[in-house]
Amino acid sequence: MYQTTISNQWRQIQRQNFTQWEKLADYLELDDLQKREILQNSRFVLNLPIRLARKIEKGNLDDPILRQFLPTVSETIETTGFVSDPVGDHACRRSSKLLHKYQGRVLLVTTSACAMHCRYCFRQNFDYDVEDKTFREELEVIANDNTIKEVILSGGDPLSLSNRNLEVLLDRIAAIPHINRLRFHSRFPIGIPERIDEDFLEMIDRSPHQVWFVIHCNHPNELDKEIFERLNALRKLGVNVLNQAVLLRGVNDDVETMAELCETLTDHGIFPYYLHQLDRVQGASHFEVSREEGLELIDQLIQRLPGYAVPKYVQEVSGEPSKTPIN
């Protein structure tokens, strides 16, 4: 009974997400002038966990958390070079849910659902297959290609799946003998850390694979004690926990913010894995920081932090066989 209660808890919390701009604007005490900056009929809908909303400064449109999630009129600016599929997902599909970009590993698009909607999401235009939920074709492709050693579970967010559905999927992957590593890409721990519940931890503990868990956090204000407790529960099972951030104008494009983020993560055993140059998706040009500014930021971090606390500054270039280091 305890496990069932815990497993249902995160779904109840997710239902409290802000999905209507009017309610969020009232909650944050935005005035009429500020409300004019909101894109009221956004194609990519607002989706913000209440837990993150509580960390946003009231009446401040420039709050670094709010900037990541609030649809604004800046998204309507058409900018040359910003496209619907900036990382070339469609060109590397081996089936509707399977992307094979890099040697030895594939990415399984497990769901279109996500814990939150980041306004710079490079997959916001992806034509998700939401009909077939068996992954039969994808698993067959993986099973018939023994060069694949690692399966990355992404989406959307793989933790949007129920524990039962995840367990079935993980069992089927475990039956493929040449798979050695399993990787989760998830934003859930930042907005709804309760998702890492007892059932999920037991499922991970039973996995025969080496498990890697990559979270997505861009600003130290997103973090708190409970998040670290939930992630530490994964680490105690031998799971490697990493973070990838996106360099965003007005969010984390200064050395003080990035140094605090990297040190805080490192102090809690989370490896600052990547700092991504913005993927140039339509509607996100107002977030872009130049590569020159990014390189200067990395140089300053190198001077302030130990080497293991400095993330790799990279860009995903469509058609390239790996992430491209910016140096």
Side-chain angles (χ1 to χ4, degrees):
M1 182 62 180
Y2 170 75
Q3 289 184 346
T4 301
T5 301
I6 292 295
S7 295
N8 288 334
Q9 181 186 25
W10 67 269
R11 291 193 179 278
Q12 296 295 331
I13 293 170
Q14 191 172 19
R15 294 190 183 100
Q16 301 176 45
N17 279 19
F18 282 102
T19 57
Q20 298 177 22
W21 71 266
E22 297 96 336
K23 290 184 178 180
L24 179 61
D26 289 344
Y27 177 79
L28 296 177
E29 301 173 5
L30 301 181
D31 60 32
D32 289 341
L33 185 61
Q34 290 172 319
K35 289 177 182 178
R36 293 177 192 170
E37 296 296 317
I38 300 173
L39 185 59
Q40 299 181 7
N41 296 300
S42 171
R43 175 194 52 79
F44 188 45
V45 299
L46 168 70
N47 186 21
L48 173 63
I50 190 169
R51 200 173 186 282
L52 274 175
R54 290 176 180 142
K55 297 177 179 180
I56 295 171
E57 181 183 355
K58 299 289 179 67
N60 182 11
L61 275 181
D62 292 324
D63 181 275
I65 294 178
L66 183 60
R67 278 184 60 84
Q68 297 179 61
F69 301 105
L70 182 69
T72 66
V73 294
S74 297
E75 296 179 19
T76 63
I77 299 172
E78 294 187 9
T79 306
T80 301
F82 283 75
V83 297
S84 62
D85 180 20
V87 300
D89 275 349
H90 290 281
C92 64
R93 290 173 102 164
R94 292 186 65 176
S95 71
S96 64
K97 295 186 178 70
L98 193 68
L99 308 182
H100 196 175
K101 293 184 180 182
Y102 305 144
Q103 183 174 345
R105 52 206 185 274
V106 291
L107 185 145
L108 190 60
V109 182
T110 57
T111 175
S112 62
C114 197
M116 58 197 80
H117 287 172
C118 305
R119 306 315 303 174
Y120 51 87
C121 177
F122 64 86
R123 209 167 277 152
Q124 59 185 270
N125 303 302
F126 192 81
D127 56 334
Y128 291 94
D129 175 4
V130 296
E131 299 300 324
D132 177 19
K133 303 180 187 302
T134 66
F135 305 105
R136 185 176 294 108
E137 182 180 359
E138 288 73 26
L139 293 170
E140 184 176 344
V141 171
I142 295 170
N144 290 330
D145 188 344
N146 61 14
T147 69
I148 299 171
K149 305 299 180 184
E150 178 178 3
V151 176
I152 303 167
L153 303 182
S154 185
D157 195 308
L159 268 64
S160 294
L161 298 178
S162 69
N163 284 330
R164 176 57 187 157
N165 287 339
L166 266 178
E167 184 176 30
V168 170
L169 176 58
L170 265 56
D171 285 346
R172 290 173 177 170
I173 294 173
I176 302 174
H178 52 264
I179 299 301
N180 300 325
R181 298 181 301 275
L182 188 67
R183 193 194 320 176
F184 287 83
H185 283 184
S186 179
R187 192 87 150 109
F188 251 96
I190 300 303
I192 309 176
E194 295 87 351
R195 177 63 186 91
I196 303 178
D197 57 24
E198 293 297 327
D199 288 349
F200 181 77
L201 291 169
E202 288 183 11
M203 183 196 324
I204 296 301
D205 195 30
R206 291 193 300 270
S207 174
H209 301 115
Q210 175 61 59
V211 177
W212 297 74
F213 198 98
V214 184
I215 64 170
H216 174 187
C217 177
N218 296 316
H219 194 281
N221 289 0
E222 299 173 41
L223 299 166
D224 61 50
K225 180 181 178 181
E226 183 176 8
I227 291 171
F228 290 128
E229 288 176 348
R230 300 281 178 157
L231 293 174
N232 193 48
L234 282 171
R235 293 177 59 240
K236 287 180 178 178
L237 299 178
V239 174
N240 301 292
V241 182
L242 304 87
N243 181 65
Q244 53 184 353
V246 179
L247 183 58
L248 300 168
R249 175 74 62 193
V251 175
N252 57 10
D253 56 333
D254 64 280
V255 67
E256 296 297 332
T257 297
M258 278 305 303
E260 182 182 352
L261 174 63
C262 293
E263 281 197 292
T264 302
L265 292 167
T266 303
D267 289 345
H268 290 85
I270 301 167
F271 184 68
Y273 176 38
Y274 279 149
L275 176 62
H276 289 270
Q277 181 69 6
L278 179 74
D279 296 316
R280 305 186 94 194
V281 68
Q282 289 173 347
S285 62
H286 56 292
F287 285 115
E288 188 170 49
V289 178
S290 72
R291 291 161 60 104
E292 291 74 22
E293 291 173 281
L295 285 169
E296 176 61 27
L297 177 59
I298 292 294
D299 284 344
Q300 293 180 57
L301 290 176
I302 289 172
Q303 296 173 34
R304 295 178 58 151
L305 302 176
Y308 54 79
V310 179
K312 296 178 183 177
Y313 183 32
V314 299
Q315 184 169 16
E316 185 162 359
V317 179
S318 178
E320 290 298 312
S322 67
K323 295 288 190 296
T324 301
I326 301 176
N327 52 42

